[in-house]
Amino acid sequence: MTIADPVENRTQDDAFPALHVRPPAGWVNDPNGPFQWNGRYHLFYQHNPSAPVHANIQWGHASSADLVHWRTEPIALTPTPGHLDAGGCWSGCVVDDDGVPTAVYTAIGNGVLDASIALATSADGQLRTWRKHPAPAARAPQGLHLIGYRDPFVFTAYGHRYALVGAGLRGGGAATVLLYRCDDLYEWTYLGPLTNAADPVAARYAPADIWECPQLVRLGDRWVLIVSLWTSEILGRVAYLVGDLDISGGVPRFTPTHGGLVDAGRDFYAPAVLASPERVLLWGWSWEDRTDADVLAGGWAGLLTLPRVLTLNPAGRLASTPAPELHALRGTPVRRVVAVREQPQTVDLPSGPLDIEIRLHSQARQPTALTLRLGDNWLTVTVDPATGRAAVHRNVLHPERATRDATVHITGGTESVHMRLLLDGSIAEVFLPDGVVFTERLYPTTPARHTSLHLRGSVGTQAVITAWQLRLPGVP
């Protein structure tokens, strides 16, 4: 188990993850403030400890020295009656303010639109106790007719410190990211929008009513803006925009040149990044894709993805790969070589959690379909090495939701395709070439939870499958 003592996280629910960060019960949504301090990674998240519903939102907290062994920490921030955050401690970030760890978060008062930016500091070295600042660092600018104002993100560029706040204007489709200067973290100056959905590139890749959880990081010589797409009907997808940060006018302005999806799956939202000189890490929220009755019966909802490393691939697209530290979880490998045929070939897999690498080689460059089955639940990935088309198709047990499909493109014209699949309880994270990733939820439907992989394609394709049963931390 990664976030707690094995006894603490023991559950009879086969859907419950063993290796992903989340407490043993209650609600979890957005990751908040990934942070390194005193040799440990600290990961905060939106949390309701009393029920698997979005209410009474607090900041849960886990920490790790190695991104593998996670320890559940005391809840960091809870709503305080009479304070700015009496209605909830919503998403934000954690920064090092001249040696003082400081949480910068959305304080909710009497409702979603009664939002301000609040600060809290920690002085105990392990970030277990926090002291709230009584006054807001910022409130929504006047005259903008906002329908949303939340999720601050603080970054440094060209010798100054700035903050982003996700927002949206009335009228629909008017998502925006508001920009502040905050060299003094307690005195914010509004500078206008960093960019908004009126930009033609942003309108193409990131249409939304509100851009939530904005994250801005530098990868090489480009800047990448990540925004979660909220509409008035449903939570959406997560987009990235690659561009340039221009400060020639004295105020930073972001001009995107292209974009795409951070994750092409259907169960991924509100990621948070941790940037260091060596790399950029990302965690996302994977929500539940089962009925409310099943959620209430399980007593838990939501989890955080495994950590991913972000880069730009040679084509300039955002690429995600599993953090290399996860290799430490691998046990003894089980390897199978399968001659793919038109009739499905079945490979039985060990019980999870699993790390599976699949290498397909097709001299004829023909499509191959791989279906992962957990009892009656299944997920099919079809890759066409000739055209570079990759599609995900899965059934959905939720009675009000249809079977889901998604299509992406990877490098075409090749004979070999390498895939990696991380399976833990009900979450599947599928990594394809070029840094393409799908996050999907697959709920076991039988107590035994038989897991198998089925391959079907043209004669002449060979699949090399290597599966590792992942060891729970603390188990040799």
Side-chain angles (χ1 to χ4, degrees):
M1 313 223 173
T2 53
I3 73 162
D5 178 83
V7 173
E8 178 186 353
N9 254 16
R10 187 173 295 155
T11 174
Q12 299 302 312
D13 188 350
D14 285 336
F16 193 89
L19 302 172
H20 288 67
V21 170
R22 69 146 294 120
W27 170 274
V28 166
N29 61 293
D30 309 2
N32 297 150
F35 189 61
Q36 284 182 279
W37 192 253
N38 287 344
R40 293 189 70 82
Y41 292 92
H42 293 266
L43 185 57
F44 303 88
Y45 49 87
Q46 298 283 272
H47 182 37
N48 176 7
S50 60
V53 296
H54 186 269
N56 187 34
I57 294 300
Q58 309 174 33
W59 272 36
H61 180 197
S63 73
S64 172
D66 58 7
L67 295 180
V68 174
H69 302 79
W70 290 90
R71 179 174 71 203
T72 300
E73 302 285 1
I75 289 176
L77 299 173
T78 61
T80 301
H83 186 62
L84 304 165
D85 63 12
C89 302
W90 284 20
S91 294
C93 62
V94 176
V95 298
D96 179 354
D97 186 30
D98 195 21
V100 179
T102 303
V104 184
Y105 66 101
T106 308
I108 299 297
N110 294 320
V112 174
L113 292 179
D114 182 17
S116 59
I117 307 303
L119 304 176
T121 57
S122 181
D124 64 30
Q126 295 180 308
L127 310 189
R128 291 178 174 171
T129 58
W130 294 81
R131 179 178 177 273
K132 296 178 181 179
H133 188 65
R139 290 190 181 275
Q142 296 297 312
L144 290 186
H145 306 293
L146 296 174
I147 61 170
Y149 180 83
R150 49 187 176 264
D151 312 332
F153 176 78
V154 176
F155 69 100
T156 299
Y158 307 112
H160 290 283
R161 184 163 57 189
Y162 301 95
L164 307 178
V165 178
L169 305 179
R170 296 189 186 280
T176 186
V177 171
L178 306 180
L179 176 68
Y180 293 81
R181 177 174 286 182
C182 56
D183 291 313
D184 181 344
L185 203 55
Y186 294 82
E187 296 289 340
W188 290 27
T189 302
Y190 177 57
L191 301 178
L194 178 75
T195 190
N196 56 45
D199 178 277
V201 175
R204 176 183 177 186
Y205 292 105
D209 297 330
I210 301 173
W211 281 343
E212 295 190 300
C213 302
Q215 313 275 300
L216 184 67
V217 293
R218 189 164 188 166
L219 294 175
D221 61 354
R222 306 302 303 276
W223 288 85
V224 178
L225 176 66
I226 296 172
V227 287
S228 295
L229 312 180
W230 185 95
T231 72
S232 58
E233 291 83 21
I234 56 171
L235 291 171
R237 311 292 285 280
V238 181
Y240 71 88
L241 300 170
V242 178
D244 301 301
L245 195 64
D246 180 14
I247 61 167
S248 59
V251 174
R253 290 291 179 261
F254 177 75
T255 304
T257 58
H258 60 283
L261 292 176
V262 174
D263 187 303
R266 300 289 181 172
D267 299 312
F268 176 91
Y269 198 69
V273 300
L274 172 60
S276 69
E278 297 79 25
R279 62 182 179 176
V280 175
L281 293 172
L282 174 143
W283 288 262
W285 164 39
S286 185
W287 50 45
E288 297 306 310
D289 204 1
R290 54 181 174 173
T291 65
D292 292 343
D294 287 337
V295 169
L296 290 174
W300 64 278
L303 56 92
L304 305 187
T305 66
L306 294 171
R308 303 171 183 178
V309 178
L310 296 185
T311 57
L312 290 179
N313 67 20
R317 300 192 317 204
L318 189 67
S320 298
T321 55
E325 287 89 341
L326 299 175
H327 285 114
L329 293 168
R330 288 175 169 179
T332 302
V334 176
R335 188 171 180 267
R336 288 281 304 275
V337 179
V338 179
V340 179
R341 307 189 185 282
E342 293 181 359
Q343 296 300 317
Q345 308 295 302
T346 300
V347 176
D348 291 326
L349 297 172
S351 59
L354 296 172
D355 187 346
I356 307 167
E357 289 192 0
I358 305 165
R359 294 184 182 272
L360 299 174
H361 183 78
S362 173
Q363 291 183 338
R365 301 177 182 176
Q366 294 297 309
T368 301
L370 302 96
T371 298
L372 176 73
R373 287 190 175 274
L374 276 73
D376 296 329
N377 215 344
W378 52 264
L379 163 74
T380 297
V381 182
T382 303
V383 293
D384 186 342
T387 63
R389 184 179 183 272
V392 167
H393 177 69
R394 73 171 172 92
N395 71 329
V396 176
L397 300 180
H398 194 302
E400 299 176 358
R401 298 175 189 168
T403 299
R404 290 180 170 175
D405 297 273
T407 301
V408 296
H409 289 279
I410 57 178
T411 299
T414 62
E415 295 182 356
S416 297
V417 175
H418 179 211
M419 303 167 52
R420 185 174 174 189
L421 191 154
L422 293 164
L423 180 66
D424 181 20
S426 55
I427 184 170
E429 298 178 64
V430 182
F431 294 86
L432 300 179
D434 300 329
V436 172
V437 58
F438 291 85
T439 299
E440 302 282 352
R441 300 299 293 273
L442 288 172
Y443 295 93
T445 55
T446 59
R449 205 179 83 181
H450 176 250
T451 305
S452 58
L453 191 64
H454 305 258
L455 298 93
R456 181 172 55 84
S458 300
V459 175
T461 299
Q462 184 184 75
V464 179
I465 303 167
T466 307
W468 292 265
Q469 194 172 40
L470 298 179
R471 298 172 297 200
L472 305 184
V475 178

